[in-house]
Amino acid sequence: MIIDCHGHYTTTPPGVGEWRDAQKSAVEADPAFVGEKGSIRVADDEIRDSLEGAQLKLQSERGADLTIFSPRASWMAHHVGNEHTSKYWSQHQNELIKRVCDLYPTNFAPVCQLPQSPGVAIDSSVAELERCVEGMGFIGCNVNPDPSGGHWNGPPLWDRYWWPLWEKMCELDVPAMIHVSASCNDNLFTTGSHYLGADTTAYMQALSSGFMNDFENLRWIIPHGGGAVPYHWGRFKGMAQDKGWDFAGLLDHIWFDTCVYHQRGIDLLLDVVPTANVVFASEMVGAVRGIDPDTGHYYDDTKVYIDNSSLDAASKQLVFEDNTRRVFPRLSLPQGVQ
Ligand SMILES: [Zn+2]
């Protein structure tokens, strides 16, 4: 079985964006705007139409069986609005993912976004995680390490601020993909420097603090191939050696996905990072949608790169399925997808 652990609902029907645009206009006019959750009017057929020509078509064409599916990452935009508007928006987005997974239970498994308002206690995120996992069968969450949207002026991931969320994740036995959202800082391009910088930053925060050792069961996926981490493996290993950080022990908690869009990048990832710590992912339909003229393949058809890599069959099995099942144990529970 081939499990793609990184897919977002980037093709939502128009009613979703319209609801969010109205909410954004309201908070722009009045930053203290609370509003109400209301409803997003989207028909099941619209959901089907939005997926069948896109994620589902590509899933089938490219030979993946199941996508672990979450709300569009760049739309989380935790820097927009306040704790009330973020809560309602997150709830709607997660309920939409639940509908997708109910419509296509063998194709998708649900992962949630969290409200994560800057400057506000993490409690509402803990509550939303619990609601999604226990009430709706979600199997993981996306955690934004920089809810400010590119200013990095909140507490780092090792800070006690985050601990109630890490504790709840351990209790529920769900992992997080550490994934930023849109940048509102013009110095950072959202799906380029912001995403890859955040991946590297999250890893560095975990390595330099060693805080994950306090949470035996805490599991993170660092997306986009781990940002700069695999390429600079020796730098991180060497710094850890100089400073007494637990470089090897961190691999009990961290996995890198395969959202790297060229063969040599994937080859480096697979060569450098232990195979037990790599999980298959494509992030389609996502940031890069074209075809590489040098190869004739879609850049984000990452299965081709794994297939063409020098991994043996047993190692490919780990990357395509077994590692992901270890990271997402709820995938095998009855409310998940078998
Ligand atoms: Zn993503």
Side-chain angles (χ1 to χ4, degrees), residues 6-8 73 177 179 195 223-224 283:
H6 186 172
H8 303 291
M177 179 170 281
H179 199 311
Y195 276 21
H224 319 112
E283 200 179 26

Side-chain angles (χ1 to χ4, degrees), residues 87-289:
K87 184 176 87 175
Y88 293 147
W89 173 233
S90 297
Q91 289 180 352
H92 275 309
Q93 285 289 70
N94 293 333
E95 286 160 22
L96 199 59
I97 293 296
K98 166 71 172 157
R99 286 178 66 188
V100 167
C101 295
D102 285 347
L103 285 171
Y104 299 100
T106 59
N107 297 97
F108 296 108
V111 157
C112 59
Q113 72 174 56
L114 301 172
Q116 289 199 248
S117 293
V120 174
I122 200 76
D123 305 23
S124 62
S125 295
V126 173
E128 179 62 4
L129 177 65
E130 201 160 31
R131 184 182 83 99
C132 288
V133 173
E134 294 195 321
M136 298 193 285
F138 280 56
I139 63 168
C141 57
N142 290 337
V143 170
N144 183 350
D146 173 30
S148 77
H151 293 285
W152 292 96
N153 52 9
L157 296 170
W158 46 259
D159 191 274
R160 292 267 168 180
Y161 169 85
W162 296 92
W163 285 36
L165 180 58
W166 309 141
E167 284 164 1
K168 183 56 71 176
M169 282 170 49
C170 291
E171 181 195 318
L172 296 171
D173 205 11
V174 295
M177 179 170 281
I178 308 296
H179 199 311
V180 280
S181 185
S183 164
C184 61
N185 176 342
D186 287 342
N187 291 286
L188 299 168
F189 190 89
T190 294
T191 51
S193 47
H194 189 42
Y195 276 21
L196 301 180
D199 303 336
T200 313
T201 301
Y203 175 84
M204 188 78 231
Q205 290 181 358
L207 179 65
S208 62
S209 64
F211 91 94
M212 294 185 95
N213 286 333
D214 287 341
F215 298 92
E216 193 188 339
N217 205 22
L218 186 57
R219 300 182 301 279
W220 287 358
I221 294 172
I222 308 282
H224 319 112
V229 175
Y231 189 60
H232 284 287
W233 200 243
R235 172 176 288 256
F236 295 107
K237 186 178 174 188
M239 276 194 288
Q241 191 173 314
D242 289 347
K243 296 182 183 296
W245 299 333
D246 186 5
F247 182 76
L250 190 54
L251 291 175
D252 292 340
H253 299 281
I254 282 184
W255 284 260
F256 299 89
D257 82 8
T258 66
C259 294
V260 174
Y261 294 159
H262 65 140
Q263 184 68 51
R264 286 189 288 178
I266 289 276
D267 289 343
L268 182 144
L269 172 74
L270 296 173
D271 186 34
V272 167
V273 174
T275 308
N277 293 86
V278 179
V279 284
F280 173 66
S282 70
E283 200 179 26
M284 64 86 179
V285 177
V288 182
R289 301 187 182 187

